[in-house]
């Protein structure tokens, strides 16, 4: 994908805030209550990176009509109760500072709703960095990842062409959405997702947020190298 990177779009959970473990534990707790036994690993595999609408559809299919509303209510109760231990992803503040110093605009595009992001980004001191540039799957009628709608919406609102955007993601559905949107994907393997979930065309894998500014700068300077070459950069063991 030729051309310099002009906008960096960040996922929220697992990329900016280290919330995926809290979310997986909450899903497992609710599943046990409502009759869908899940381990935390099951919750990561099934739900990580998906919108609440997508999760709700899966719940209805498994547990029947109306179960999605109860699931959503209880999930948020459990998730928000766990936020007292929430922290920013290690190294992300340094990465954001370096990206800002390089003059690259940034925004957030997440499957989570705005209230969730207000609380998680606020809790970690990151909200003010992105205020006014935060987009949710709710903004595109719930058509969240792996559909490209959310990332295309964020690019349009920010005033950039899709091919000029880089997406930083930690879920398989997120990198799929970035590819579907015609954007370069940077798959963060330092969280819960195995590298194999994120690897694919047009995707650079990296395991430390502090590496991201250099990877973005290198991609911009070379105006996009071949897909196979990009996948190897910064890949975790």
């Amino acid at each position: 994908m030729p051309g310099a990177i002009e906008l960096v779009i960040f996922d929220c959970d697992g990329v900016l805030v280290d919330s995926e473990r809290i979310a997986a534990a909450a899903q497992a707790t609710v599943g046990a209550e409502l009759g869908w036994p899940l381990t935390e690993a099951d919750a990561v595999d099934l739900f990580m990176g998906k919108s609440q609408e997508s999760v709700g559809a899966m719940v209805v299919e498994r547990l029947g009509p109306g179960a999605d509303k109860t699931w959503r209510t209880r999930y948020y109760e459990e998730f928000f109760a766990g936020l007292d231990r929430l922290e920013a992803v290690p190294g992300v503040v340094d990465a954001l500072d370096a990206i800002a110093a390089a003059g690259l605009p940034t925004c957030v595009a997440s499957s989570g709703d705005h209230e969730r992001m207000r609380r998680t980004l606020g809790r970690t001191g990151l909200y003010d960095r992105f205020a006014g540039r935060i987009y949710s799957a709710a903004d595109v009628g719930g058509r969240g990842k792996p559909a490209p709608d959310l990332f295309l919406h964020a690019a349009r609102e920010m005033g950039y062409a899709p091919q000029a955007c880089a997406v930083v993601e930690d879920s398989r559905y997120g990198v799929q959405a970035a590819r579907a949107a015609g954007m370069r994907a940077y798959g963060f393997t330092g969280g819960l997702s195995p590298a194999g979930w994120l690897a694919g065309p047009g995707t650079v894998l990296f395991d430390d947020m502090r590496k991201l500014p250099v990877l973005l700068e290198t991609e911009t300077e070379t105006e996009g190298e071949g897909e196979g070459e990009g996948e190897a950069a910064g890949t975790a063991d």
Side-chain angles (χ1 to χ4, degrees):
M1 279 176 278
I5 294 169
E6 299 176 16
L7 173 68
V8 185
I9 303 174
F10 285 89
D11 176 42
C12 184
D13 295 296
V15 169
L16 296 174
V17 297
D18 196 8
S19 55
E20 295 293 12
R21 290 176 179 82
I22 299 171
Q27 298 281 25
T29 296
V30 176
E33 290 178 1
L34 299 185
W36 187 357
L38 295 167
T39 65
E40 292 183 17
D42 291 334
V44 169
D45 188 36
L46 289 170
F47 305 137
M48 184 173 166
K50 285 195 169 180
S51 68
Q52 283 298 317
E53 288 77 9
S54 296
V55 172
M58 296 171 71
V59 170
V60 167
E61 182 178 359
R62 177 69 182 240
L63 300 178
D68 55 325
K69 297 180 177 61
T70 304
W71 186 290
R72 180 183 178 92
T73 297
R74 284 292 297 120
Y75 166 71
Y76 274 118
E77 288 173 354
E78 290 292 323
F79 178 77
F80 288 139
L83 291 187
D84 59 344
R85 58 185 187 275
L86 181 66
E87 298 180 349
V89 167
V92 77
V93 171
D94 292 336
L96 291 172
D97 286 344
I99 291 167
L104 268 178
T106 58
C107 67
V108 178
S110 172
S111 294
D113 62 30
H114 284 285
E115 176 59 22
R116 173 176 172 143
M117 287 187 279
R118 274 192 291 271
R119 295 181 73 163
T120 58
L121 292 172
R123 175 81 185 182
T124 54
L126 297 176
Y127 186 83
D128 287 345
R129 287 177 178 261
F130 295 102
R133 308 188 317 281
I134 299 174
Y135 307 102
S136 163
D139 301 333
V140 290
R143 274 188 57 82
K145 310 161 191 177
D149 302 45
L150 174 57
F151 289 143
L152 292 173
H153 172 72
R156 186 166 53 249
E157 289 294 306
M158 293 291 294
Y160 293 90
Q163 62 267 26
C165 299
V167 173
V168 186
E169 266 287 354
D170 71 320
S171 79
R172 69 178 110 189
Y173 304 113
V175 294
Q176 289 169 12
R179 293 172 196 144
M183 301 177 181
R184 281 162 281 196
Y186 287 76
F188 177 57
T189 63
L192 297 184
S193 289
W197 285 8
L198 307 180
T203 304
V204 174
L205 304 184
F206 68 107
D207 59 2
D208 186 332
M209 276 296 166
R210 295 172 186 86
K211 297 177 181 178
L212 180 60
V214 174
L215 293 173
L216 292 169
E217 181 181 7
T218 300
E219 183 77 359
T220 297
E221 288 176 348
T222 58
E223 293 191 350
E225 297 181 357
E227 292 173 353
E229 295 172 62
E231 290 169 27
T235 303
D237 295 332

